[in-house]
């Protein structure tokens, strides 16, 4: 690879030791971050104005039943022990029972998460497919109308409330024009036809070969995914533009041009090649942000994903569900961050 | 002001040999203002924000109706109805009046978060950067943990723990907003810490407290201000999001996000109820973004080209 040529002789002789140390450090920092994350959710759970015992036994339980459950939950132990129990449970994938439907929270999360994943993935694909070319062109044709357009697109994206944009989208494309399916993942006639394999309906229906379900699912997915995609586009195009500008002002670009290389090659083979790592980092971050941004979008589109799940649980004071959902989203967030960090370390020789 | 005194003031501001610290500081503000004035988009943002401030300050005088007054015989009237320029909502309340009064809530939230988060970040960042060692290690780990959380979800969990309401929404947003400020302040502190003038002050016998508050804070302020202005839009959107979810300001408060949530039920038949508050949120956060971009060009010229 081109990157390998950049690393000097000295590095090639002992490339492994610093890498291992770096990896160990990364793993250590993930562990500490995760521990902190769990500690914060634990504290939030403790300061909740909801009595977890009352929530289980009900208000008319006798004092002895109350006491029994109180001890069962370990609430009579010191806080540090309670945190230990909580850690133990979470490490075993146990977030407790949902108070609302008396099922394990982890099962609920496994059921709703694919819906969010489907939405955020399609959104990111749209954002990347449009945002990267837009950013590159905006940087190359700096000051042109297309640069102005990219600027406006980004500004509007940074300023518009996502839930409002979703509502407006529903109003125009569903209510007025009738181009897309309404809220929800499928029309009622199409529900429960395709067996659940991945939980992502587009993939499930494609596996089952049921294209009418696929079409219907797509008509429901396209609007919320476009809304999320727009936010991703705003961010990615802006970052691409600034990365490209930085490269295009570098001396090696001038050299390539002086050598008489075509502008196309200069841009794509030289400048763009050097921003790939930065770009992947940005895309990973934007993906993480979409998972979070989907909270409000899911509410608008009645999308049964993790955002809807957390919010519904919140409004009905189902604390185990809220904390379980928060930890899950936090964990994915951390992992995506680590992933982009790692990419940097592996592919960018300067970071070593 | 007559032309003569304004000329005199201009000369006083632009002099190359200021006689006092005050004059020098005012002069540099004036220079910044001159640059900002040349940026039409930033000026447009300022104009909107000034308008917003005036609206909020004189809300009872400007609003044509009481924002809480219900009139059930006049519910869901469309735009342009006589006496209700932006129509009425499901309880017959005048939307324009509610928007005008809602500007107070928006400004209140933004002002509080914009005070709490940067100050907390400044404290943590400068102490961490100046003292170094294990203090730095611990504080930065804590910062990283908060950065690792998705912001909206963390705010949701906090509001769940604290209970819904404006003050708790402010707290929750601040708790999720301070870590970037701490990072910036720490980075600035690290570059300042080893400079000669800090050593000089230290040799004169100044303690860490004095050095941090008198000599490091002032230098961190400008980058924090840029960041705050750019963050304002995000704060408004977060507050509106919490309001929309029913976790921020409670009804009948005319908070813009909560208004959208109310209007959501009639979106297909009575679109203006949810559309108007959304436009208000969009306009204000756009104004903050435009101003933030302009300020960055003035205060932080090295990023100006991006």
């Amino acid at each position: 690879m081109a990157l390998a040529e950049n690393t000097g002789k000295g590095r090639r002789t002992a490339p492994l030791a610093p890498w291992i140390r770096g990896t160990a450090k990364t793993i250590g920092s993930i562990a500490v971050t995760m521990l902190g994350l769990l500690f914060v959710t634990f504290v939030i759970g403790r300061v909740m104005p909801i009595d977890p015992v009352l929530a289980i036994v009900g208000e008319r339980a006798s004092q002895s039943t109350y006491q029994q459950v109180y001890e069962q939950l370990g609430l009579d132990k010191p806080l540090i022990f309670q945190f230990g129990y909580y850690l133990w449970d979470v490490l075993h994938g146990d977030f407790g029972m949902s108070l609302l439907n008396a099922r394990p929270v982890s099962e609920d999360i496994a059921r709703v998460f694919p819906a969010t994943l489907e939405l955020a993935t399609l959104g990111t694909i749209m954002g990347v497919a449009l945002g990267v070319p837009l950013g590159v062109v905006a940087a190359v044709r700096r000051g042109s109308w297309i640069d102005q357009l990219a600027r406006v697109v980004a500004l509007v994206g940074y300023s518009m409330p996502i839930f409002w944009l979703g509502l407006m989208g529903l109003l125009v494309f569903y209510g007025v024009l009738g181009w897309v399916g309404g809220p929800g993942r499928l029309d009622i006639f199409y529900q429960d036809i395709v067996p659940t394999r991945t939980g992502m309906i587009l993939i499930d229906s494609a596996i089952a070969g049921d294209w009418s379900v696929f079409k219907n699912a797509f008509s429901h997915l396209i609007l919320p995914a476009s809304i999320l995609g727009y936010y991703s586009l705003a961010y990615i195009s802006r970052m691409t533009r600034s990365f490209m500008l930085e490269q295009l002002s570098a001396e090696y670009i001038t050299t390539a041009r002086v050598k008489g290389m075509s502008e196309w090659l200069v841009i794509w083979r030289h400048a763009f090649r050097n921003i790939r790592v930065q770009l992947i980092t940005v895309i990973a971050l934007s993906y993480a942000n979409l998972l979070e941004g989907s909270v409000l979008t899911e509410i608008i589109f009645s999308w049964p994903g993790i955002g809807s799940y957390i919010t519904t649980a919140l409004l009905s004071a189902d604390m185990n569900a809220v904390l379980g959902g928060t930890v899950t989203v936090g964990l994915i967030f951390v992992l995506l961050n680590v992933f982009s960090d790692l990419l940097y370390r592996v592919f960018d020789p300067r970071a070593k | 002001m007559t032309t003569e005194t304004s000329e005199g003031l201009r000369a006083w501001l632009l002099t190359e040999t200021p006689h006092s610290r005050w004059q020098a500081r005012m002069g540099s503000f004036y220079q910044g203002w001159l640059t900002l004035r040349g940026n039409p988009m930033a000026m447009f943002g300022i104009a909107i924000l000034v308008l917003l401030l005036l609206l909020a300050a004189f809300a009872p005088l400007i609003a044509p109706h009481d924002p809480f007054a219900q009139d059930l015989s006049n519910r869901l009237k469309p735009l342009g109805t006589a006496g209700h320029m932006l129509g009425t909502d499901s309880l017959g309340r005048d939307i324009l009046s509610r928007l005008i009064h809602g500007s107070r809530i928006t400004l209140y939230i933004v002002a509080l978060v914009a005070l709490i988060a940067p100050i907390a970040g400044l404290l943590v960042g400068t102490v961490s950067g100046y003292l170094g060692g294990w203090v730095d290690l611990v504080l930065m780990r804590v910062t990283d943990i908060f950065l690792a959380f998705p912001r909206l979800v963390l705010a949701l969990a906090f509001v769940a723990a604290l209970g819904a309401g404006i003050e708790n929404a402010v707290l929750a947003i601040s708790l999720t907003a301070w870590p970037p400020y701490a990072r910036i302040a720490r980075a600035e502190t690290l570059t300042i810490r080893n400079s000669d003038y800090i050593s000089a002050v230290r040799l004169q016998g100044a303690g860490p407290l004095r050095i941090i508050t008198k000599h490091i804070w002032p230098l961190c302020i400008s980058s924090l201000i840029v960041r705050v202005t750019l963050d304002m839009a995000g704060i408004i959107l977060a507050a509106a999001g919490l309001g929309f979810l029913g976790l921020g300001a409670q009804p009948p408060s005319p908070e813009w996000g909560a208004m959208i949530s109310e209007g959501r039920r009639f979106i297909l038949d009575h679109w203006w109820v949810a559309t108007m508050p959304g436009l208000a949120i969009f306009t204000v956060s756009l104004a903050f973004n435009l101003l933030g971009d302009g300020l960055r060009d003035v205060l932080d010229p090295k990023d100006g080209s991006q």
Side-chain angles (χ1 to χ4, degrees):
Chain A
M1 264 185 73
L3 289 171
E5 292 158 17
N6 291 340
T7 53
K9 257 186 193 164
R11 284 172 205 252
R12 237 177 255 174
T13 50
L16 218 57
W19 211 86
I20 289 174
R21 207 181 309 147
T23 313
K25 216 172 163 187
T26 313
I27 291 174
S29 82
I30 301 171
V32 173
T33 310
M34 281 315 295
L35 203 69
L37 202 142
L38 286 170
F39 183 71
V40 172
T41 49
F42 173 76
V43 170
I44 291 175
R46 289 304 126 170
V47 298
M48 278 289 294
I50 299 164
D51 185 339
V53 182
L54 269 189
I56 292 173
V57 300
E59 289 190 3
R60 279 190 262 169
S62 68
Q63 186 62 39
S64 64
T65 324
Y66 184 95
Q67 195 59 34
Q68 200 184 339
V69 175
Y70 187 79
E71 279 166 25
Q72 240 174 33
L73 291 178
L75 292 174
D76 53 337
K77 305 277 192 326
L79 270 181
I80 185 81
F81 279 85
Q82 292 186 30
F83 182 56
Y85 295 143
Y86 177 67
L87 268 186
W88 181 255
D89 287 346
V90 170
L91 284 179
H92 290 78
D94 180 6
F95 292 120
M97 305 296 261
S98 159
L99 301 176
L100 212 58
N101 57 12
R103 287 172 19 157
V105 170
S106 46
E107 265 179 35
D108 279 348
I109 290 177
R111 183 169 43 81
V112 297
F113 193 69
T116 302
L117 200 63
E118 191 172 35
L119 196 59
T121 307
L122 193 62
T124 304
I125 292 174
M126 289 170 140
V128 173
L130 295 173
V132 172
L134 184 64
V136 171
V137 176
V140 173
R141 300 260 164 85
R142 197 173 170 191
S144 68
W145 66 269
I146 206 153
D147 189 19
Q148 297 300 333
L149 177 80
R151 191 178 142 86
V152 171
V153 163
L155 255 179
V156 171
Y158 286 144
S159 309
M160 191 108 71
I162 193 166
F163 52 99
W164 183 70
L165 189 63
L167 268 181
M168 295 297 112
L170 263 185
L171 173 66
V172 174
F173 294 106
Y174 172 65
V176 179
L177 298 172
W179 288 355
V180 298
R185 295 180 82 186
L186 282 173
D187 283 342
I188 193 115
F189 325 105
Y190 293 102
Q191 262 160 23
D192 298 321
I193 294 181
V194 184
T196 306
R197 287 199 178 90
T198 58
M200 289 180 258
I201 295 185
L202 281 188
I203 296 178
D204 284 351
S205 58
I207 293 174
D210 195 331
W211 297 107
S212 62
V213 174
F214 185 88
K215 236 175 101 182
N216 189 259
F218 188 74
S219 80
H220 281 267
L221 182 61
I222 187 71
L223 186 58
S226 309
I227 303 275
L228 285 178
Y230 178 60
Y231 281 83
S232 164
L233 161 74
Y235 176 59
I236 290 177
S237 66
R238 215 62 208 148
M239 298 311 280
T240 310
R241 178 179 179 274
S242 80
F243 294 154
M244 276 302 275
L245 280 180
E246 198 181 314
Q247 294 297 331
L248 288 175
S249 64
E251 283 178 0
Y252 75 93
I253 293 290
T254 318
T255 314
R257 282 188 178 138
V258 169
K259 281 194 327 198
M261 196 176 252
S262 79
E263 194 60 18
W264 179 265
L265 283 182
V266 169
I267 292 164
W268 292 103
R269 183 157 322 149
H270 285 274
F272 187 71
R273 197 178 212 154
N274 280 330
I275 68 165
R276 279 181 312 182
V277 179
Q278 284 169 299
L279 214 52
I280 290 175
T281 317
V282 163
I283 293 169
L285 280 181
S286 131
Y287 192 49
N289 282 327
L290 279 201
L291 286 177
E292 179 197 19
S294 64
V295 172
L296 290 163
T297 315
E298 282 175 12
I299 306 280
I300 292 287
F301 289 94
S302 309
W303 197 261
I306 191 143
S308 299
Y309 181 71
I310 296 179
T311 325
T312 319
L314 199 61
L315 294 175
S316 46
D318 185 352
M319 211 50 206
N320 284 345
V322 174
L323 295 184
T326 310
V327 170
T328 311
V329 178
L331 177 70
I332 294 166
F333 219 68
V334 172
L335 288 182
L336 278 172
N337 272 313
V338 169
F339 170 71
S340 59
D341 245 29
L342 223 66
L343 274 179
Y344 239 111
R345 212 176 301 239
V346 174
F347 287 112
D348 194 335
R350 283 169 303 183
K352 273 182 185 155
Chain B
M1 203 187 283
T2 63
T3 358
E4 225 167 86
T5 48
S6 88
E7 278 303 311
L9 183 66
R10 220 176 115 82
W12 183 78
L13 285 166
L14 289 178
T15 177
E16 278 174 20
T17 49
H19 293 293
S20 66
R21 191 186 287 188
W22 164 251
Q23 188 181 358
R25 200 168 285 167
M26 285 297 113
S28 81
F29 271 129
Y30 186 65
Q31 300 263 7
W33 165 248
L34 288 181
T35 320
L36 197 64
R37 217 173 51 177
N39 182 339
M41 295 314 274
M43 291 316 288
F44 180 63
I46 290 187
I48 294 177
L49 294 176
V50 169
L51 200 69
L52 180 78
L53 275 174
L54 290 177
L55 275 182
F58 300 108
L61 299 177
I62 298 169
H65 297 272
D66 179 347
F68 302 108
Q70 303 183 3
D71 179 4
L72 293 179
S73 58
N74 255 331
R75 49 196 297 270
L76 298 169
K77 286 278 183 260
L79 297 187
T81 309
H84 301 290
M85 212 165 71
L86 298 184
T88 59
D89 69 5
S90 61
L91 295 172
R93 295 172 295 197
D94 182 47
I95 293 180
L96 178 63
S97 307
R98 284 176 72 73
L99 285 182
I100 293 174
H101 279 269
S103 65
R104 292 186 157 187
I105 303 176
T106 302
L107 279 178
Y108 175 73
I109 295 177
V110 168
L112 274 183
V113 177
L115 269 180
I116 298 174
I119 290 179
L122 185 66
L123 265 175
V124 172
T126 46
V127 167
S128 173
Y130 185 75
L131 294 182
W134 64 268
V135 177
D136 185 34
L137 204 71
V138 170
L139 287 178
M140 279 302 111
R141 270 289 124 212
V142 173
T143 311
D144 281 348
I145 288 165
F146 275 85
L147 271 179
F149 259 111
R151 281 176 76 167
L152 184 66
V153 175
L154 182 62
L156 282 183
F158 271 120
V159 174
L162 302 169
I166 293 190
E167 278 76 18
N168 290 343
V170 167
L171 261 183
I173 299 173
S174 307
L175 272 167
T176 59
W178 67 268
Y181 297 105
R183 280 277 185 86
I184 295 173
R186 178 173 175 269
E188 295 270 339
T189 310
L190 286 181
T191 57
I192 300 167
R193 186 175 67 171
N194 294 325
S195 51
D196 290 342
Y197 83 92
I198 293 289
S199 315
V201 178
R202 201 181 294 137
L203 285 176
Q204 283 177 346
L209 189 69
R210 187 181 173 84
I211 295 179
I212 289 176
T213 53
K214 293 270 178 183
H215 299 277
I216 292 181
W217 280 6
L219 291 179
C220 297
I221 298 286
S222 74
S223 47
L224 285 187
I225 288 180
V226 174
R227 177 77 203 207
V228 169
T229 326
L230 284 170
D231 259 10
M232 296 266 198
I235 296 169
I236 291 176
L237 296 185
L242 287 178
F244 174 76
L245 293 174
L247 298 168
Q250 297 296 303
S253 157
E255 199 270 325
W256 294 344
M259 284 172 74
I260 296 181
S261 161
E262 278 167 37
R264 184 187 161 207
R265 286 178 287 151
F266 326 103
I267 183 73
L268 294 182
D269 303 315
H270 309 284
W271 54 270
W272 59 91
V273 184
T275 306
M276 293 306 140
L279 279 178
I281 299 173
F282 174 56
T283 313
V284 174
S285 48
L286 185 67
F288 274 117
N289 274 330
L290 291 174
L291 176 61
D293 278 349
L295 273 184
R296 184 174 52 194
D297 292 347
V298 173
L299 294 175
D300 207 0
K302 60 179 181 289
D303 285 343
S305 60
Q306 294 185 4

